Amino acid sequence: MASIIAVKKLDKHFKVRKFHRGRFSGFQNFFTREHHLVRAVDGVNFEIQSGELIGYLGPNGAGKSTTLKMLTGLLVPTGGEINVDGFVPSKQRKEYVSRIGAVFGQRSTLWWDLPVFESFELLRHIYKIPEKLFKKNLDEFRELLELDTFINTPVRSLSLGQRMRADICAALLHDPKILFLDEPTIGLDVVAKERIRQFIQHINQDRGTTVILTTHDLSDVEKLCNRILIIDEGKLLYDGQLEQLRQKFGGKRQLVVDFFENYPEATIEGAEIVEINGARITFEFERDSIAASDLIGRLSSKYRIRDLEVKEPEIEETIRRIYEQQLLK
Amino acid sequence: MQNSIKLLNKYISVNLRSQLQYRLTFVFEVFGTILLTLTEFAALALVLLKFENIGGWTVGEVAFLYGTINASFGIMDMFFSGFDPRNFGRHVRMGTFDQLLLRPINITLQVLGLEFQFRRIGRIMIGVGILIYSVQTTSILWTGEKAIVLFFAIIGQIAYFGGLFIFGATITFWTIESIEVVNILTYGGSDLIAYPMNIYPELLRKFFTFILPAIFLNYYPALFILGRPDPFNFPPYAHWLSPFAGMLILFFSLRFWRFGITKYQSTGT
Ligand SMILES: Nc1ncnc2c1ncn2[C@@H]1O[C@H](COP(=O)(O)OP(=O)(O)OP(=O)(O)O)[C@@H](O)[C@H]1O
Ligand SMILES: [Mg+2]
């Protein structure tokens, strides 16, 4: 199957002006124009198939938003190629943007002083959405996103969570094939995040909309995406499944055992004790060196076990280690 | 195109409604501009009455220049506010411009619809008022031709200053510091042509003739309509040139604007 998004050797370099500091700095800044180059996106390649739901991850300043801005046609790449559904996003802008939806989490696309519903009405004209389709979509989204309580409220008076839901709805009214979301859950509480996640999943599964989302919240990715891309300092570091990343870089697994009695010296080959809490002992072991079942076998032959649990390392922890120790480089 | 006009209409009505939501602010601003323009003109008139004329022009004749440019600058400012470099620079920094680029409509039209300023109605009214005062005191002999020249003069002025707004807005893609230079051309230029061009030093006048042809916007149409002789011996059709001067500036500004969009860098986050 041909891919719906193809990105080849994509670069975006920003010239950023250097400002002097200290004495006479105002003077110096006025008379000199020194620049340095920020390689916000640097030689990135990937392909995405129609219907995928992709998580785009990376630490602050990694180049995620810049990539999304190029994919949506807001920025013209410094180098490389982008092809989305047969379009070069920065060319043929009008035709292209009517086929995609985009939400940049920090900003609203809606009219500040207009009630939500009237913003939607305006979008209906802008995208020339047929009346029937508009009604069908709006009815569906109203229910799923629970927009009814604030659909007649001006956008400026909405809470962050409400505004985000209204914005996501607005981005989908014209049935886009591809949806770009830059930090759609930023600043939201757990319930609001969950509602938005479920909605994204629904859109992806039910309508087959291709979704790319960036986030700093790994539970978004864990729940939604089977494929992730990791970018840092403009370079793509990883492209694959979350599970594989976990297996490769996940570090140690933990075995938490509740014994019937206190065994302060319950040592076992292949695992280390990291915590003793009464009759509960936590062991750590390497994924590659021993299987959990072997470990449990060895333990139960020596001690009486009441209950046990194998814990995978937290994905947050894994990703943090990857960023910090630069494991992917 | 028809759809675009319909949309522009919608944008404008949205703007009107938002502006009317802050009704008191709206009223204050309209009266504010009326008061400001009136005071400015009153100060000028007082000086003029003392000297009786300026560059050989009577108060009533200068009022013709003054009224025309104020009315057309007001109209321009109402339609082109979105491109006013001060507004536009803010939209670029706040990322509003990104949002416009995401919509499938002509980008120039959207910027026009961004900030339609009804409150400029105050300046337009005063401009027209001063123009009427001038027409009454100078007892111009109106002909159809003169009316058309005035109409074209106004069209040219709107296009010219709208073009300068677009030029200034485009510059904000690169820098907001150099904006003041463009503002001097826009606001300084509109102030300049509110007076007879023969009062200025030659260098300044030549600049506004051959580099930025503002002399044709207001001065030549006024010479013709008021029936005054041309001190600079331009060809006899010079009073028709206002729309051409305006379109020239607008045309190059739009080209520059198109180019600027391809260089647009968005903002970090
Ligand atoms: N318009 C711009 N002009 C100059 N530099 C920019 C611009 N936009 C982004 N950058 C720089 O490019 C780099 C990548 O920024 P980007 O916004 O893409 O990061 P990000 O991955 O989205 O980060 P975050 O998680 O903080 O949102 C940063 O160093 C940033 O300072
Ligand atoms: Mg970002």
Side-chain angles (χ1 to χ4, degrees), chain A residues 64-65 106 182-183 214, chain B residues 269:
Chain A
K64 304 181 294 294
S65 299
Q106 324 269 25
D182 195 10
E183 308 200 25
T214 78
Chain B
T269 311

PDB file of all heavy atoms in Angstrom, chain A residues 64-65 106 182-183 214, chain B residues 269, ligand 2:
ATOM      1  N   LYS A  64       9.453  18.783  17.330  1.00  0.00           N
ATOM      2  CA  LYS A  64       8.147  18.184  17.047  1.00  0.00           C
ATOM      3  C   LYS A  64       7.202  19.184  16.387  1.00  0.00           C
ATOM      4  O   LYS A  64       6.650  18.919  15.325  1.00  0.00           O
ATOM      5  CB  LYS A  64       7.504  17.667  18.352  1.00  0.00           C
ATOM      6  CG  LYS A  64       8.335  16.686  19.117  1.00  0.00           C
ATOM      7  CD  LYS A  64       7.619  16.212  20.367  1.00  0.00           C
ATOM      8  CE  LYS A  64       7.406  17.316  21.399  1.00  0.00           C
ATOM      9  NZ  LYS A  64       8.632  17.839  21.995  1.00  0.00           N
ATOM     10  N   SER A  65       7.035  20.327  17.050  1.00  0.00           N
ATOM     11  CA  SER A  65       6.094  21.312  16.494  1.00  0.00           C
ATOM     12  C   SER A  65       6.560  21.777  15.123  1.00  0.00           C
ATOM     13  O   SER A  65       5.738  21.991  14.221  1.00  0.00           O
ATOM     14  CB  SER A  65       5.969  22.520  17.415  1.00  0.00           C
ATOM     15  OG  SER A  65       5.486  22.117  18.669  1.00  0.00           O
ATOM     16  N   GLN A 106      -1.679  24.875  21.985  1.00  0.00           N
ATOM     17  CA  GLN A 106      -1.562  26.117  22.743  1.00  0.00           C
ATOM     18  C   GLN A 106      -2.512  27.191  22.227  1.00  0.00           C
ATOM     19  O   GLN A 106      -2.727  28.179  22.903  1.00  0.00           O
ATOM     20  CB  GLN A 106      -0.129  26.671  22.627  1.00  0.00           C
ATOM     21  CG  GLN A 106       0.925  25.621  22.586  1.00  0.00           C
ATOM     22  CD  GLN A 106       1.435  25.293  23.976  1.00  0.00           C
ATOM     23  OE1 GLN A 106       0.728  25.481  24.954  1.00  0.00           O
ATOM     24  NE2 GLN A 106       2.640  24.781  24.054  1.00  0.00           N
ATOM     25  N   ASP A 182      -0.954  18.805  17.938  1.00  0.00           N
ATOM     26  CA  ASP A 182       0.257  19.165  18.676  1.00  0.00           C
ATOM     27  C   ASP A 182      -0.117  19.362  20.142  1.00  0.00           C
ATOM     28  O   ASP A 182      -0.775  20.324  20.491  1.00  0.00           O
ATOM     29  CB  ASP A 182       0.865  20.450  18.099  1.00  0.00           C
ATOM     30  CG  ASP A 182       2.295  20.670  18.581  1.00  0.00           C
ATOM     31  OD1 ASP A 182       2.865  19.745  19.198  1.00  0.00           O
ATOM     32  OD2 ASP A 182       2.838  21.757  18.334  1.00  0.00           O
ATOM     33  N   GLU A 183       0.269  18.411  20.960  1.00  0.00           N
ATOM     34  CA  GLU A 183      -0.019  18.430  22.395  1.00  0.00           C
ATOM     35  C   GLU A 183      -1.499  18.649  22.705  1.00  0.00           C
ATOM     36  O   GLU A 183      -1.863  19.626  23.357  1.00  0.00           O
ATOM     37  CB  GLU A 183       0.850  19.484  23.085  1.00  0.00           C
ATOM     38  CG  GLU A 183       2.320  19.309  22.745  1.00  0.00           C
ATOM     39  CD  GLU A 183       3.237  19.992  23.742  1.00  0.00           C
ATOM     40  OE1 GLU A 183       2.819  20.190  24.888  1.00  0.00           O
ATOM     41  OE2 GLU A 183       4.371  20.311  23.362  1.00  0.00           O
ATOM     42  N   THR A 214       1.626  14.813  18.900  1.00  0.00           N
ATOM     43  CA  THR A 214       2.805  14.980  19.732  1.00  0.00           C
ATOM     44  C   THR A 214       2.312  15.118  21.157  1.00  0.00           C
ATOM     45  O   THR A 214       1.187  15.555  21.399  1.00  0.00           O
ATOM     46  CB  THR A 214       3.591  16.261  19.402  1.00  0.00           C
ATOM     47  OG1 THR A 214       2.918  17.375  19.991  1.00  0.00           O
ATOM     48  CG2 THR A 214       3.730  16.474  17.916  1.00  0.00           C
TER      49      THR A 214
ATOM     50  N   THR B 269       6.910  27.654  19.394  1.00  0.00           N
ATOM     51  CA  THR B 269       5.749  27.265  20.186  1.00  0.00           C
ATOM     52  C   THR B 269       4.645  28.307  20.194  1.00  0.00           C
ATOM     53  O   THR B 269       4.726  29.290  20.878  1.00  0.00           O
ATOM     54  CB  THR B 269       6.120  26.932  21.640  1.00  0.00           C
ATOM     55  OG1 THR B 269       7.216  26.051  21.590  1.00  0.00           O
ATOM     56  CG2 THR B 269       4.969  26.244  22.335  1.00  0.00           C
TER      57      THR B 269
HETATM   58 MG    MG C   2       6.082  22.035  20.514  1.00  0.00          MG
END
